[in-house]
Amino acid sequence: MTREEAWDLLTEYNQEEFHLRHGQIVENTMKYFADKLGYGDEKEFWGIVGLLHDLDFERFPEQHCIKSQEIMRERGIDERIIHATASHGYGITVDIKPEHEMEKVLYAVDELTGLIGAVVLMRPSKSVQDLELKSVKKKFKANGFAAGCDREVIKQGADMLGWTLDDLIQQTIDALKTFEN
């Protein structure tokens, strides 16, 4: 599957700017981690997984990570993409456990990129470029802030990767800095 084919599929099922932008943010974050973790030869694959991870969320939120499997299988999409995208719903909507390091990264950064994005919107600069770890950690502890971002999923993702929460947050900030508009 090419990036263009993935984008066409995403935009077939998603029209809201928020969902399209989130897909692109996770796509670019995944590509960053592919390079950083030694999977540079799979960078585009990691990006496609990031782009398509919420394929079904806009239209089928009650069947998130379930309906997307059906949609992708009907189109003959690689089972690795199907497994990877579905695994980010582990323990929430599906029992498909993240196994590959890429799947664990997706599980960890999906919610975290949303939280960091919310922190950035509150900053005078509206930019991740001057964002520091301590600012994210402060908002992470404020449960009322960006309440839709599941902190337990972020913590579990860090644990799956064998990283500290601080390392996960800092590396994700670093990733976002590389492609922020």
Side-chain angles (χ1 to χ4, degrees):
M1 168 172 258
T2 67
R3 198 276 179 191
E4 183 179 340
E5 291 168 335
W7 178 255
D8 288 346
L9 180 59
L10 182 67
T11 56
E12 181 180 335
Y13 285 89
N14 293 268
Q15 283 75 48
E16 293 180 22
E17 182 61 31
F18 175 83
H19 292 127
L20 297 174
R21 183 73 185 125
H22 175 67
Q24 292 171 314
I25 289 167
V26 176
E27 170 191 20
N28 288 321
T29 302
M30 293 297 291
K31 289 166 75 172
Y32 171 90
F33 277 107
D35 274 340
K36 183 163 180 63
L37 298 173
Y39 298 94
D41 57 330
E42 296 179 25
K43 182 177 180 174
E44 292 306 311
F45 179 78
W46 282 45
I48 287 168
V49 167
L51 186 64
L52 292 177
H53 80 283
D54 279 348
L55 173 66
D56 58 5
F57 190 78
E58 187 176 313
R59 282 202 198 167
F60 309 100
E62 69 289 343
Q63 294 180 286
H64 183 42
C65 297
I66 298 166
K67 190 70 174 173
S68 61
Q69 295 176 66
E70 179 184 313
I71 293 166
M72 289 190 222
R73 283 195 180 100
E74 286 172 356
R75 292 165 190 254
I77 293 174
D78 187 330
E79 280 295 324
R80 295 179 312 146
I81 295 173
I82 297 169
H83 186 278
T85 56
S87 74
H88 89 280
Y90 177 66
I92 304 163
T93 58
V94 296
D95 291 330
I96 300 169
K97 187 173 184 174
E99 296 167 3
H100 186 279
E101 191 169 21
M102 178 261 299
E103 295 171 343
K104 294 173 184 178
V105 169
L106 176 63
Y107 183 86
V109 303
D110 177 33
E111 295 288 319
L112 182 54
T113 57
L115 179 71
I116 293 171
V119 173
V120 167
L121 289 175
M122 301 299 293
R123 300 181 61 72
S125 68
K126 305 278 191 246
S127 174
V128 73
Q129 298 304 326
D130 60 353
L131 183 62
E132 295 180 7
L133 173 63
K134 65 182 180 180
S135 298
V136 177
K137 286 180 63 176
K138 182 178 178 182
K139 295 295 188 184
F140 188 93
K141 293 175 186 172
N143 290 331
F145 179 80
C149 296
D150 191 329
R151 274 78 164 160
E152 287 305 312
V153 167
I154 297 168
K155 289 178 193 174
Q156 289 172 9
D159 289 345
M160 282 181 193
L161 288 162
W163 300 352
T164 66
L165 183 60
D166 284 4
D167 284 343
L168 174 63
I169 295 170
Q170 184 61 61
Q171 289 187 62
T172 304
I173 291 169
D174 294 346
L176 295 171
K177 285 180 179 181
T178 66
F179 62 85
E180 178 184 66
N181 294 349

